[in-house]
Amino acid sequence: MSGICIGTQLEAPQGYGVLERGMTYHFLRNSSKTDRVLLLLFAVRKPKAVTYKSAKRPNRIITPTPLPILVGVERQSFEDGVRAGKIVKAKNQSSMPPWLADLEGLNLHNLDELRKKPVRSHADRMEEKIEAIFPLTQKFEEVLDAKDPDRVINAHARSCSPQRNETRMRLWFYVYMLFGRNRFALHYPIASIGRWSRVTTTPKHKWGTPHKYKGKEHGHNTSPAMKALILKGYRREVGLGITMTSIYNKSMMKDFGCRLREVHHGDFVHKEIWHPQGKPFPLKGAYVYHVIEEFGTEKIQLNMYGYVRARSKMLLPVGAFTERVWNLMQKVERDAYAVGDLARGLIEGNPLPPLYVVRKRDTASGLVTGIGFSQGGESASAYRMAQFCEAIDKVRFFALFGLELSPERWPSKGISSFDIQDRGAGSTPDAFSRILMYKPLVSESPPGHAGQSKAVIESSNPKTYTTDEAPGFTASNLRTFELIRRELFRVLKDNDTFYVGDRIPPDLAERVTRATPLAIWNTWDEIGRNDALQMGFEDAVRAYLTKTKAKLTKEGVVLNSMLFRSDALDQVGARKLVSGKQTVDVEVYVLDACLRHIWTDFKGQLIELDLTLKVPVGNEVLLMSLEEIKQFEAFCRERDSFHDEHCTAVSIQIYHEFKEATGRDWDTGTRVKGRAKRGTPSAKREAAEARGAVHAAKARA
């Protein structure tokens, strides 16, 4: 279980200092800079009647904006209160503000699809609030470490054009930070509407600074598709000594299909880029902006000048990697390694391609916080799986692989806003959350051939030693799911055996029981030195698991010829939507390494489905990976391709054997009109003779 981190709801059962009994406080920040712990209390005010002076505006009942009340507690006093049990976690931890409790766990990502001709979309309302507080979120540490954070936020509200309401500005900022930078926490209550969906609205006007000569509407806004092409072009063309101008020019030709032409402006003649079909393309300023936004200035300089020159000429020494992290999950590194043993195949037992393991490790404590798997090479899905593991409770993650785990053996839960990943599959857009609000605020990719740039995770990967013997490999007797189980247990071993004594600060030395990542995590976590962003299990499934197509049938959901169903599927009436052999296309979320369970959204509710076979099987069979199920499906398809021909041959053989034994054809006889006459004396006599012949044959047998 997670301890105290941003957004954790706390209570003081008997009161404690300035904290009152019966009130719920939201943990905001534990800062060593100010030696202060900030808590937030929400005062949800009752609706009230409003009377307007103007006769044109009718009187109405309004709900006042919830009032955010900032509560400061001395750091040492707070930590003493936590250790003494005078400050405890609230029994029920909500991932949404109190006035949005009805929205918790629902799918809010496509909110506007079911609305008919809305005057204003929900997405626009959320974006307006996020845009208003965006400058504050960029310097949130500076804001929260100020002597009076409310005053700083109020000043920002007054500096906006037009001016913003100070109470609303404070509410938006605190709510956004407390609830994992979740844009839906800035929603307004819509429970009475009954349905939720959201669509990103495309702007109808040109953003950015107007062109000096060609007009303010000249050019194109950067769509997600354009941004993907920008990043694709940069990744392909980037290299030592290659300038951003050169990258932009090549990307315009290769990725956007632009050409050059000569234009005349009065007495001036110059060349410009254009698209023959009039398709949108970014100007150089927008191109550079999005590259810098994605990779950062420092990363771009490293790519252009090389690590050696950048480090010696431009970058200042930064010391140890752990010097600038004082809280858990402040920075997390991730990397992949290949398991040396080759798993045994499901059908014939032949060695399979190597299993790749992606692990995420907290920089501050050294604890492995997440793990993911793929077969045959690194994949973006494996990195997403590691983030899924990082986000959810580890007891439930182990249960997905048929294992039991005590919560205290792997207590981490939540994601980091600062990810350091490897180049390749780990840095592609598909390696991160599909939901924008759960993508890391900072995503850093170290240069190639510089493993020391993410030494925390590199040093913890299992080592393989080379020899001078002839090439060879280890063919394991374990199947893929058994190798995965072994790697899960390896995480438990590493978390409680790695030596990290040099990371223990003097003020906590007496409280850390042993110099291992697990001990450091438990000590820091219980006093609130944890920056992990919490998210619900439903959002973790939607954000990180692989999304694929399946078929909803009368029997359940069919994925790669395998059947999945559960009682929850029937409780929402999904199977009643189909009849007979009818099928309906549905989208499902799968954990690639193990298909014991899959998930699907139905009417905004996430439904968990179980793998169901038509014959009793052992638990190990239910732990097949997606690749093994595809292999099994291909095997069955090849086997069954000869079934019709086999049936025809057997039928002919039986007909032939019958004719040789009886001298007659299988279906000899003639068709006679009318009904068979069984009541005549001769018919009754022949029937009696036939029964006698049958009894005689039985007696001889």
Side-chain angles (χ1 to χ4, degrees):
M1 294 178 61
S2 177
I4 300 176
C5 58
I6 298 175
T8 299
Q9 286 108 66
L10 304 173
E11 295 176 348
Q14 302 301 324
Y16 183 74
V18 297
L19 307 185
E20 301 179 18
R21 182 179 64 181
M23 307 296 287
T24 299
Y25 299 88
H26 294 70
F27 182 85
L28 185 58
R29 181 166 176 78
N30 183 342
S31 176
S32 60
K33 182 177 180 181
T34 61
D35 201 29
R36 176 184 64 183
V37 173
L38 291 181
L39 308 176
L40 201 72
L41 180 66
F42 291 117
V44 181
R45 296 176 283 183
K46 296 181 179 180
K48 65 179 182 179
V50 176
T51 302
Y52 296 101
K53 295 180 180 179
S54 174
K56 296 180 180 180
R57 303 183 68 183
N59 299 337
R60 59 178 181 149
I61 304 295
I62 68 169
T63 301
T65 301
L67 186 63
I69 302 174
L70 201 60
V71 180
V73 183
E74 186 182 8
R75 188 185 195 198
Q76 189 62 47
S77 175
F78 174 82
E79 294 181 358
D80 290 342
V82 171
R83 286 190 287 265
K86 297 179 180 180
I87 301 176
V88 298
K89 291 178 62 176
K91 184 176 181 181
N92 296 321
Q93 296 289 317
S94 175
S95 62
M96 296 290 276
W99 55 93
L100 297 179
D102 293 335
L103 305 184
E104 189 169 357
L106 296 179
N107 185 3
L108 303 174
H109 308 298
N110 301 310
L111 197 61
D112 288 311
E113 287 185 351
L114 301 179
R115 301 180 68 201
K116 296 182 179 179
K117 299 181 179 179
V119 177
R120 192 179 183 194
S121 70
H122 296 317
D124 288 343
R125 296 175 185 269
M126 302 304 103
E127 289 300 328
E128 180 182 1
K129 295 178 182 179
I130 293 175
E131 288 177 5
I133 64 174
F134 181 75
L136 296 172
T137 62
Q138 293 298 98
K139 54 177 183 178
F140 73 96
E141 292 184 350
E142 177 183 339
V143 173
L144 296 180
D145 286 343
K147 184 176 181 180
D148 187 352
D150 285 351
R151 190 172 183 178
V152 175
I153 300 172
N154 291 344
H156 173 72
R158 293 192 298 271
S159 68
C160 293
S161 181
Q163 288 189 6
R164 296 283 186 175
N165 180 279
E166 296 176 0
T167 302
R168 293 195 188 103
M169 183 68 73
R170 296 199 308 272
L171 180 69
W172 298 343
F173 173 73
Y174 289 135
V175 165
Y176 189 65
M177 299 307 300
L178 282 174
F179 295 96
R181 301 177 186 267
N182 183 353
R183 64 200 301 254
F184 296 120
L186 300 177
H187 217 300
Y188 57 93
I190 56 172
S192 58
I193 298 176
R195 306 186 74 176
W196 296 262
S197 110
R198 182 170 297 277
V199 156
T200 302
T201 302
T202 303
K204 297 181 180 179
H205 62 277
K206 175 67 173 65
W207 285 347
T209 304
H211 196 282
K212 188 174 182 180
Y213 302 109
K214 299 181 181 180
K216 66 179 182 179
E217 294 296 330
H218 173 75
H220 307 278
N221 289 320
T222 305
S223 65
M226 287 175 62
K227 185 174 180 180
L229 286 177
I230 290 173
L231 300 180
K232 174 184 175 182
Y234 177 79
R235 290 191 179 98
R236 185 188 62 245
E237 302 297 338
V238 68
L240 291 176
I242 301 178
T243 64
M244 187 64 73
T245 299
S246 176
I247 293 174
Y248 173 76
N249 294 341
K250 293 179 181 179
S251 182
M252 289 301 101
M253 292 186 292
K254 296 180 181 179
D255 300 306
F256 292 90
C258 293
R259 298 291 182 267
L260 296 179
R261 67 179 178 184
E262 190 175 89
V263 294
H264 297 259
H265 286 287
D267 296 332
F268 300 99
V269 180
H270 69 275
K271 292 183 179 181
E272 67 176 10
I273 60 174
W274 68 294
H275 198 285
Q277 287 81 40
K279 294 182 179 180
F281 60 90
L283 298 179
K284 183 180 178 182
Y287 189 96
V288 174
Y289 169 80
H290 287 291
V291 171
I292 293 177
E293 183 183 44
E294 178 72 15
F295 299 99
T297 303
E298 183 177 306
K299 171 61 178 169
I300 294 172
Q301 291 176 339
L302 288 172
N303 289 338
M304 179 176 177
Y305 298 111
Y307 181 75
V308 176
R309 178 180 175 184
R311 184 174 184 179
S312 60
K313 302 293 184 181
M314 296 160 35
L315 303 181
L316 297 176
V318 295
F321 284 91
T322 56
E323 280 186 17
R324 297 184 181 181
V325 288
W326 51 86
N327 283 352
L328 303 175
M329 300 301 287
Q330 192 172 352
K331 287 185 180 181
V332 173
E333 297 181 7
R334 57 180 181 169
D335 191 29
Y337 64 87
V339 176
D341 303 4
L342 301 184
R344 175 172 57 87
L346 173 66
I347 306 301
E348 298 180 358
N350 294 324
L352 297 178
L355 177 70
Y356 279 76
V357 181
V358 174
R359 300 209 301 188
K360 302 191 68 177
R361 195 178 184 203
D362 174 46
T363 303
S365 66
L367 190 87
V368 177
T369 58
I371 187 170
F373 307 95
S374 63
Q375 201 151 27
E378 292 186 41
S379 69
S381 63
Y383 283 89
R384 288 199 313 273
M385 188 190 303
Q387 291 177 286
F388 171 74
C389 171
E390 184 179 59
I392 69 171
D393 183 66
K394 304 306 182 289
V395 175
R396 187 161 190 180
F397 187 77
F398 263 59
L400 296 176
F401 295 91
L403 300 173
E404 294 183 358
L405 179 71
S406 300
E408 67 276 3
R409 298 191 66 188
W410 197 355
S412 67
K413 181 176 181 291
I415 60 176
S416 173
S417 60
F418 194 128
D419 261 18
I420 302 175
Q421 73 278 340
D422 199 1
R423 296 175 67 90
S427 62
T428 60
D430 289 341
F432 297 92
S433 165
R434 285 187 296 270
I435 302 176
L436 180 61
M437 63 188 174
Y438 293 127
K439 290 187 177 182
L441 290 178
V442 181
S443 178
E444 181 180 304
S445 296
H449 303 286
Q452 65 272 25
S453 296
K454 47 182 178 59
V456 173
I457 185 64
E458 289 280 1
S459 62
S460 67
N461 287 341
K463 302 298 184 292
T464 56
Y465 298 97
T466 58
T467 66
D468 294 333
E469 302 299 322
F473 65 92
T474 301
S476 176
N477 292 325
L478 304 178
R479 279 184 44 206
T480 299
F481 82 91
E482 292 171 317
L483 283 182
I484 289 175
R485 283 179 165 181
R486 190 181 72 180
E487 295 307 309
L488 290 174
F489 284 111
R490 187 194 300 276
V491 171
L492 300 182
K493 177 182 74 71
D494 292 347
N495 281 344
D496 206 19
T497 57
F498 283 155
Y499 177 78
V500 287
D502 52 353
R503 306 186 191 193
I504 303 175
D507 60 327
L508 295 178
E510 294 183 358
R511 306 185 187 280
V512 181
T513 57
R514 56 189 178 276
T516 65
L518 184 61
I520 293 181
W521 180 281
N522 288 333
T523 303
W524 288 19
D525 190 37
E526 69 180 5
I527 59 175
R529 297 189 183 183
N530 192 334
D531 287 349
L533 303 178
Q534 302 299 305
M535 62 189 298
F537 180 81
E538 296 84 359
D539 280 343
V541 169
R542 296 175 182 127
Y544 299 121
L545 295 193
T546 299
K547 199 173 185 180
T548 188
K549 296 287 187 180
K551 298 286 186 181
L552 174 62
T553 69
K554 195 69 176 176
E555 292 186 332
V557 175
V558 178
L559 173 66
N560 292 113
S561 302
M562 306 301 283
L563 179 64
F564 296 83
R565 64 186 177 202
S566 66
D567 293 339
L569 190 67
D570 295 332
Q571 290 173 3
V572 297
R575 289 202 288 169
K576 294 180 180 178
L577 297 178
V578 295
S579 59
K581 296 184 178 181
Q582 182 185 10
T583 62
V584 176
D585 289 334
V586 294
E587 289 186 332
V588 297
Y589 302 95
V590 301
L591 190 68
D592 294 13
C594 179
L595 264 69
R596 190 178 188 181
H597 307 286
I598 64 173
W599 296 264
T600 184
D601 265 317
F602 188 79
K603 296 182 179 179
Q605 181 179 354
L606 191 69
I607 306 298
E608 183 175 294
L609 306 173
D610 306 322
L611 177 59
T612 305
L613 299 178
K614 296 184 178 180
V615 293
V617 296
N619 187 49
E620 290 77 9
V621 178
L622 300 177
L623 296 172
M624 289 188 293
S625 66
L626 181 60
E627 288 299 322
E628 287 179 318
I629 283 184
K630 290 180 178 179
Q631 181 188 33
F632 181 66
E633 182 186 27
F635 170 79
C636 292
R637 187 164 52 246
E638 181 181 1
R639 178 198 63 196
D640 297 342
S641 64
F642 304 101
H643 182 69
D644 290 342
E645 183 179 351
H646 170 78
C647 291
T648 300
V650 171
S651 298
I652 293 174
Q653 178 185 358
I654 296 298
Y655 296 161
H656 182 69
E657 291 175 348
F658 173 77
K659 187 168 184 177
E660 285 186 343
T662 63
R664 296 180 178 274
D665 290 333
W666 181 273
D667 52 359
T668 184
T670 58
R671 180 176 176 82
V672 180
K673 292 183 178 181
R675 296 180 179 274
K677 297 178 180 181
R678 298 188 180 90
T680 62
S682 60
K684 292 180 179 180
R685 184 174 59 255
E686 291 179 348
E689 291 175 354
R691 285 194 295 272
V694 171
H695 291 318
K698 287 183 178 180
R700 287 195 299 271

